[in-house]
Amino acid sequence: MPVISAPQAFNEDELYVDLEGIFGRSLFLKCEGFNFAGSIKLKAATEMVEAAERDGLLTPDSVLVESSSGNLGVALSMIAASKGYRFLCVTDSRCNLPTRLMMEALGSQLHVITEPDPVGGFLGARIDHVRALCASDDRYVWLNQYTNPSNGMAHYRRTAPAIARQFPDLDVLFVGAGTTGTLMGCARYFREWHRRVRIVAVDSVGSVTFGGAPGRRMIPGLGTSRRPPLLDESYVDDVVCVPEADTIRACHRLARRGFLFGGSTGTVVSGAMDWLAQQEGRELTAVAIAPDLGERYLETIYQTNWVQDLYGEDVLDSQALTTAPQAA
């Protein structure tokens, strides 16, 4: 029985869902949402804060500040509350309301960007605001998840080894691409592993991460309007870009079988299934990383009016959500 005194001390790291009975293809989904922050971002947040403490960057007067579309903001809010730091999250209007309320409940301040930068989008506008804050007052400490090596190191040290322990015959790993911290940390670990593992990055259509054309993206989490500084494409074997309508359908298909996951997870699952569909005749041990759970998306992804207004009335037609028969 775990007994903890700090919320970041608990993180279920060994839970997988077998998706073959839902989607008809073998894929093990590593669930990263079972911690007090509710997402995989707890690992990066913990690693970055602890590194800043070791480096002497944080003092009792410090105010942590970070740009986040949601999950990292919650993780940092929780850690700041636990450690006694103040935290200001710079987010934007796409951030889900439950996520904002959760950060405020944990004692954090929020600044919501409502207008995107003409070139850099919402991400560029958020980063510009963070930089202005840091220039105005040296009490602000920006961990900068977009360039901080501890972001990827968290997954090199924890996420990838956990997968390797459970799946010593792993053939392919699907990882969503946001800041690319998770992607790079896992990819670097498996590059050094004793056997070849194919790394497939899953991105959103409208993201520029891998050179795609910028476009509207309404689901926070994956994708960027600026190329992530952490990204090294030499570690990535394949890239799958998923339209948000397919993200919606994957989330609802999982929910029809009792699994309520977040938008990033729906994107990763949809991309993984598309990639696996092209590998007919090959028996592969495949794992995908599910970054978060679905409660924070009840007013968006799981709200019919929101979905139909943005993606059309037929996006949730019954045929698209028909589940595959249970595997024998």
Side-chain angles (χ1 to χ4, degrees):
M1 177 182 71
V3 177
I4 63 172
S5 57
Q8 61 269 28
F10 172 76
N11 192 7
E12 173 55 61
D13 212 24
E14 306 293 342
L15 179 63
Y16 295 81
V17 177
D18 183 351
L19 296 183
E20 186 167 10
I22 302 176
F23 289 90
R25 300 187 187 280
S26 179
L27 179 67
F28 297 97
L29 188 63
K30 187 179 191 306
C31 301
E32 290 281 353
F34 290 97
N35 56 59
F36 285 100
S39 82
I40 196 171
K41 289 294 189 177
L42 175 60
K43 293 176 180 176
T46 301
E47 193 85 15
M48 290 191 295
V49 169
E50 290 179 352
E53 289 175 330
R54 288 194 303 270
D55 294 341
L57 299 177
L58 291 174
T59 70
D61 292 330
S62 296
V63 181
L64 284 168
V65 61
E66 186 57 83
S67 156
S68 171
S69 62
N71 284 338
L72 183 71
V74 172
L76 286 172
S77 294
M78 187 191 79
I79 293 171
S82 173
K83 289 177 172 283
Y85 296 118
R86 288 176 291 170
F87 173 55
L88 169 61
C89 181
V90 179
T91 187
D92 62 63
S93 53
R94 297 171 301 176
C95 181
N96 299 322
L97 178 60
T99 302
R100 297 187 213 176
L101 294 176
M102 188 174 297
M103 286 189 272
E104 290 176 342
L106 290 165
S108 297
Q109 292 181 294
L110 270 73
H111 180 87
V112 181
I113 299 292
T114 58
E115 293 294 331
D117 180 84
V119 177
F122 278 113
L123 175 58
R126 293 192 334 235
I127 290 175
D128 287 346
H129 187 77
V130 171
R131 285 183 171 140
L133 287 173
C134 293
S136 70
D137 191 330
D138 59 10
R139 290 177 300 174
Y140 286 108
V141 176
W142 182 22
L143 298 175
N144 196 352
Q145 62 166 325
Y146 309 105
T147 63
N148 194 322
S150 294
N151 185 349
M153 185 56 65
H155 307 289
Y156 180 92
R157 291 174 35 158
R158 295 191 56 186
T159 308
I163 295 170
R165 286 193 299 270
Q166 294 297 322
F167 296 92
D169 297 322
L170 182 68
D171 294 305
V172 57
L173 177 65
F174 299 94
V175 189
T179 65
T180 69
T182 307
L183 175 64
M184 288 292 96
C186 290
R188 286 191 167 95
Y189 178 89
F190 283 110
R191 178 69 62 88
E192 300 169 5
W193 207 35
H194 66 89
R195 68 191 305 273
R196 178 82 165 87
V197 174
R198 195 162 191 86
I199 302 297
V200 180
V202 184
D203 198 12
S204 300
V205 170
S207 166
V208 305
T209 298
F210 295 96
R216 183 190 74 169
R217 291 179 295 110
M218 300 303 297
I219 301 172
L222 301 186
T224 60
S225 53
R226 291 183 174 184
R227 181 181 170 85
L230 294 175
L231 177 63
D232 182 345
E233 289 189 61
S234 69
Y235 286 87
V236 178
D237 296 296
D238 292 304
V239 177
V240 180
C241 292
V242 177
E244 286 191 332
D246 290 346
T247 294
I248 299 288
R249 282 188 280 265
C251 286
H252 281 258
R253 189 162 176 176
L254 286 161
R256 294 287 178 91
R257 297 299 290 271
F259 295 104
L260 196 71
F261 283 106
S264 297
T265 298
T267 302
V268 172
V269 169
S270 178
M273 290 301 167
D274 286 348
W275 190 92
L276 290 169
Q278 301 174 31
Q279 317 300 315
E280 290 293 354
R282 299 178 61 192
E283 292 188 8
L284 298 171
T285 299
V287 171
I289 296 176
D292 59 0
L293 302 178
E295 291 92 338
R296 296 172 196 173
Y297 299 83
L298 293 177
E299 295 182 333
T300 54
I301 287 174
Y302 296 104
Q303 214 288 320
T304 301
N305 290 339
W306 186 89
V307 170
Q308 291 181 342
D309 286 347
L310 289 173
Y311 305 102
E313 293 190 0
D314 60 346
V315 68
L316 296 178
D317 66 63
S318 57
Q319 185 175 358
L321 301 180
T322 300
T323 57
Q326 290 285 356

